[in-house]
Amino acid sequence: MQRVMNNFMYSCQKATELLDKKTFEKLSPFERFRLFMHTRMCDACRAYEKQTTLIHKALNRQVSSDQSSPTDLSSFKEKVKENIKG
Amino acid sequence: MDIVNPAATIRCWVDLYSETLLSWAYHKTQNRQTAEDLVQDTFLSAVQAFHNFKRDSEPKTWLFSILNNKISDHFRRELKKPIVDDDGFLINFFDQDGRWRKEAMPTKWNADEELLDNIEFQQALKLCMQKLPSAWLMAIQLKYFDSKGGVEICKEMNISPSNFWQLIHRSRLQLRKCLENNWFNK
């Protein structure tokens, strides 16, 4: 059984690679098939698929309005102007 | 005749355009310090290149083109480094047969789409992102904060698509682990 699995199915390492590659390139039908065969049998990689999708969506939603240490605009301007001689 | 003093002109532009340039640089790089450095460099370069500025052009457009070049250079420098497979990163997650290591195995998350709107979750994700190696973080920034598609980014940055998504893949492995430890299993 193990040998069959090795020949037809991806390892978890390879499966996670393809799960992420999917967001960039279309997988070949063969890649898609082998990936499907793996994820239907592997709880951990099914969980990974859900989670990496969530992360992908969350990154898309990231708003660049982080004000944790905002630029002090007036002192930034003063600093730059000081460096411009003439 | 109107004699233009480059330095005085640029200083004036610092007052007028810093805010908008900083906002753009921050959006692209997601890092305050990097954004400030790039914008300052932009103004300093503008002084040197002032003779190239055509008087009837729009200053903002010209400054943005300088800034965008600097942003591209910034990414290109980091992303040039090739990805090596046996560099000891993946071994933290998978054993020699490619199976998940017990301690690295994903556990079920109690998560739904609503989490995406949760500000604290977004903050946790941001903190996890800051912990990534800088080249990986840049790949993420390029993919998610740049409007161009993956293929165009690769062409411009002169990295192979395969290198690029390998960086994204590794980042996601790391981010997943970080979020699991710092949010879901806390």
Side-chain angles (χ1 to χ4, degrees):
Chain A
M1 181 58 189
Q2 188 61 44
R3 243 210 350 224
V4 170
M5 279 174 64
N6 286 341
N7 284 335
F8 288 104
M9 299 209 316
Y10 287 137
S11 67
C12 297
Q13 180 169 326
K14 185 71 185 174
T16 58
E17 225 182 84
L18 288 181
L19 285 169
D20 285 326
K21 185 181 173 187
K22 240 178 16 167
T23 60
F24 282 87
E25 294 174 20
K26 224 174 159 194
L27 302 181
S28 72
F30 192 48
E31 280 176 326
R32 271 203 306 271
F33 172 71
R34 285 174 83 177
L35 179 59
F36 172 69
M37 289 303 287
H38 179 93
T39 52
R40 66 192 275 250
M41 311 227 318
C42 180
D43 290 346
C45 285
R46 261 203 318 276
Y48 182 83
E49 184 171 20
K50 284 209 178 87
Q51 293 163 10
T52 205
T53 303
L54 182 75
I55 291 173
H56 175 63
K57 288 184 181 169
L59 286 169
N60 270 323
R61 294 271 196 113
Q62 279 267 315
V63 186
S64 48
S65 61
D66 163 45
Q67 296 299 319
S68 55
S69 54
T71 300
D72 179 344
L73 199 55
S74 45
S75 53
F76 173 80
K77 288 180 186 177
E78 287 318 303
K79 184 178 76 163
V80 177
K81 286 193 288 189
E82 255 169 48
N83 284 325
I84 297 173
K85 305 287 187 284
Chain B
M1 202 175 89
D2 182 13
I3 300 169
V4 178
N5 175 341
T9 308
I10 305 283
R11 280 197 294 267
C12 181
W13 291 353
V14 171
D15 281 329
L16 287 174
Y17 302 118
S18 286
E19 190 164 11
T20 184
L21 290 167
L22 280 167
S23 171
W24 178 248
Y26 178 70
H27 169 70
K28 291 294 206 131
T29 62
Q30 296 294 300
N31 184 296
R32 286 243 170 258
Q33 191 55 57
T34 304
E36 289 177 21
D37 291 344
L38 290 171
V39 172
Q40 179 165 243
D41 281 348
T42 297
F43 284 120
L44 296 176
S45 290
V47 177
Q48 301 303 318
F50 194 72
H51 52 280
N52 288 332
F53 175 67
K54 296 184 179 47
R55 298 275 227 96
D56 50 1
S57 305
E58 176 58 52
K60 196 162 96 167
T61 310
W62 188 64
L63 290 170
F64 264 100
S65 74
I66 298 175
L67 176 60
N68 280 326
N69 281 334
K70 291 201 182 284
I71 291 173
S72 291
D73 288 343
H74 165 74
F75 284 129
R76 207 175 282 126
R77 265 192 305 268
E78 279 299 314
L79 292 173
K80 246 159 96 166
K81 300 169 190 166
I83 309 301
V84 185
D85 232 354
D86 55 356
D87 63 355
F89 171 72
L90 290 172
I91 207 97
N92 293 314
F93 295 90
F94 305 103
D95 65 24
Q96 67 216 10
D97 296 319
R99 279 189 291 251
W100 283 104
R101 286 189 183 283
K102 198 147 181 253
E103 64 275 16
M105 208 173 274
T107 57
K108 204 151 190 274
W109 286 359
N110 191 8
D112 55 31
E113 295 272 317
E114 281 175 6
L115 202 55
L116 298 174
D117 292 322
N118 183 321
I119 296 182
E120 273 141 10
F121 177 72
Q122 287 287 345
Q123 262 307 111
L125 175 59
K126 213 164 200 121
L127 285 172
C128 285
M129 279 165 69
Q130 306 296 352
K131 293 186 199 164
L132 293 172
S134 61
W136 301 10
L137 186 54
M138 282 183 199
I140 294 265
Q141 286 158 1
L142 278 174
K143 167 146 173 76
Y144 290 99
F145 302 108
D146 195 291
S147 50
K148 303 192 198 96
V151 176
E152 263 202 65
I153 289 171
C154 292
K155 270 205 322 230
E156 204 178 279
M157 292 291 120
N158 219 17
I159 59 173
S160 70
S162 134
N163 251 19
F164 190 61
W165 66 254
Q166 279 289 348
L167 286 173
I168 302 286
H169 170 54
R170 283 158 180 244
S171 302
R172 289 209 196 128
L173 274 168
Q174 193 66 15
L175 287 173
R176 198 213 68 79
K177 176 170 132 183
C178 179
L179 281 171
E180 190 163 282
N181 291 337
N182 294 300
W183 178 268
F184 292 99
N185 286 345
K186 224 173 163 186

